[in-house]
């Protein structure tokens, strides 16, 4: 069986349909848990099209935000959202951040750490650019325990013998792996929390467009007509609809926070 191609987020509009509503739901719980206070300098690593950045601007009143992502298309979409706002957008690598050491009060990765090829390097870069006493925090979908919103799609693709791309560092979504990494990097006051969210789609067509057609894996383009029809049939049978046709899907994320030694 051929290996699936790596997941790449290159379409800001498709990402908005696919993941942004999930990001906002989990991000709201995450920010409420961080209780960061206002007037802080943030770095948002792996900001994508700015879904989480937009949320932290609205909820946390930061003094400034530096948002960075490897995709020029995602950053281009984000630029449309943040004109005239205190957000500095950059294209760059999470494993080699462009910023000076000890610059930020808070460093976050929102649904990103498991996409970083070397999760330890990505987390260590967050620590490096955070001020002594500052906060370093992350949340990822709980892939190992089936908590990702894409779990139904992945399982049905697997059942059809079609390899579904998984994030390269999926194991870091485990609480045990997160706590061990944060401790290894010298962070203190480490806390973890599970974030449980749901999303309701108007009907199956809404789900199909949002979670399958808009998937960054481009799965539909790789399927034959008969495979696509079979996948659609299997998902429709799997996902129960309400009396109005609405479909509600649940997901869970593992979150962690800690403070850099003063």
């Amino acid at each position: 069986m051929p290996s699936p191609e790596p997941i790449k987020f290159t379409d800001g509009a498709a990402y908005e349909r696919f993941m942004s509503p999930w990001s906002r739901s989990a991000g709201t719980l995450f920010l409420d848990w961080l209780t960061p206070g206002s007037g802080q300098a943030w770095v948002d690593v792996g900001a994508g099209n700015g879904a989480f950045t937009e949320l932290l601007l609205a909820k946390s009143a930061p003094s400034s935000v530096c948002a960075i992502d490897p995709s020029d298309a995602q950053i281009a979409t984000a630029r449309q959202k943040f004109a005239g706002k205190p957000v500095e957008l950059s294209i760059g690598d999470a494993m080699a951040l462009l910023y000076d050491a000890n610059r930020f009060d808070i460093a976050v990765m929102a649904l990103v750490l498991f996409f970083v090829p070397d999760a330890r390097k990505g987390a260590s870069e967050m620590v490096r650019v955070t001020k002594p006493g500052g906060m370093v925090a992350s949340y990822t979908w709980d892939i190992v325990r089936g908590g990702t919103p894409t779990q139904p799609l992945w399982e049905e693709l697997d059942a059809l013998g079609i390899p579904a791309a998984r994030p390269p560092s999926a194991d870091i979504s485990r609480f045990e792996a997160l706590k061990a990494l944060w401790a290894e990097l010298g962070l203190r006051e480490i806390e973890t929390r599970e974030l449980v969210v749901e999303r309701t789609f108007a009907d199956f067509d809404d789900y199909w467009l949002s979670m399958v057609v808009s998937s960054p894996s481009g799965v539909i383009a790789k399927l034959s007509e008969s495979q696509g029809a079979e996948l659609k049939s299997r998902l429709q049978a799997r996902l129960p609809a309400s009396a109005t046709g609405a479909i509600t899907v649940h997901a869970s994320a593992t979150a962690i926070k800690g403070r850099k030694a003063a």
Side-chain angles (χ1 to χ4, degrees):
M1 180 183 297
S3 298
E5 295 179 10
I7 299 171
K8 294 182 180 180
F9 296 96
T10 58
D11 185 330
Y15 184 86
E16 186 69 28
R17 291 190 300 268
F18 175 69
M19 192 53 64
S20 287
W22 291 108
S23 180
R24 293 185 188 102
S25 295
T28 296
L29 296 178
F30 181 63
L31 288 170
D32 288 345
W33 178 59
L34 293 186
T35 60
S38 60
Q40 305 288 303
W42 293 67
V43 61
D44 181 6
V45 182
N49 72 352
F52 179 78
T53 314
E54 195 171 28
L55 189 66
L56 77 85
L57 281 174
K59 289 183 63 66
S60 301
S63 62
S64 64
V65 180
C66 288
I68 189 167
D69 195 85
S71 168
D72 54 355
Q74 290 276 62
I75 290 295
T77 301
R79 289 192 195 285
Q80 299 173 15
K81 297 181 178 181
F82 300 126
K85 296 183 179 179
V87 179
E88 175 188 315
L89 295 163
S90 302
I91 298 169
D93 185 349
M95 297 182 292
L97 293 176
L98 308 171
Y99 314 115
D100 292 337
N102 306 320
R103 175 173 173 179
F104 301 100
D105 298 302
I106 304 174
V108 292
M109 280 193 187
L111 303 177
V112 170
L113 188 58
F114 48 18
F115 286 116
V116 180
D118 184 338
R120 185 190 183 284
K121 180 62 176 172
S124 68
E125 278 291 275
M126 284 202 295
V127 175
R128 180 184 67 81
V129 302
T130 300
K131 297 175 183 177
M135 183 183 294
V136 179
S138 169
Y139 70 96
T140 63
W141 296 123
D142 191 354
I143 289 179
V144 175
R145 295 191 300 175
T148 176
T150 53
Q151 190 67 21
L153 173 61
W154 286 356
E155 290 184 4
E156 294 306 334
L157 286 170
D158 289 344
L160 291 172
I162 301 164
R166 265 74 165 180
S169 301
D171 189 64
I172 201 61
S173 68
R174 296 186 303 111
F175 279 121
E176 295 82 358
L178 283 170
K179 288 187 285 188
L181 178 55
W182 256 234
E184 178 188 348
L185 295 176
L187 294 164
R188 305 184 179 174
E189 302 176 34
I190 298 170
E191 297 179 42
T192 58
R193 181 185 167 181
E194 182 178 40
L195 309 175
V196 179
V197 294
E198 65 179 36
R199 179 177 174 186
T200 297
F201 301 87
D203 50 30
F204 181 77
D205 287 342
D206 183 23
Y207 173 88
W208 181 258
L209 172 63
S210 301
M211 301 304 299
V212 182
V213 176
S214 299
S215 169
S217 64
V219 61
I220 290 300
K222 301 170 187 175
L223 301 180
S224 67
E225 186 175 344
S226 61
Q227 286 174 324
E230 177 68 9
L231 175 63
K232 194 168 189 177
S233 175
R234 294 178 71 101
L235 281 170
Q236 194 159 16
R238 173 182 182 142
L239 299 169
S242 71
T244 63
I247 292 172
T248 299
V249 179
H250 295 81
S252 61
T254 52
I256 189 165
K257 63 182 178 180
R259 290 199 176 273
K260 186 173 177 176

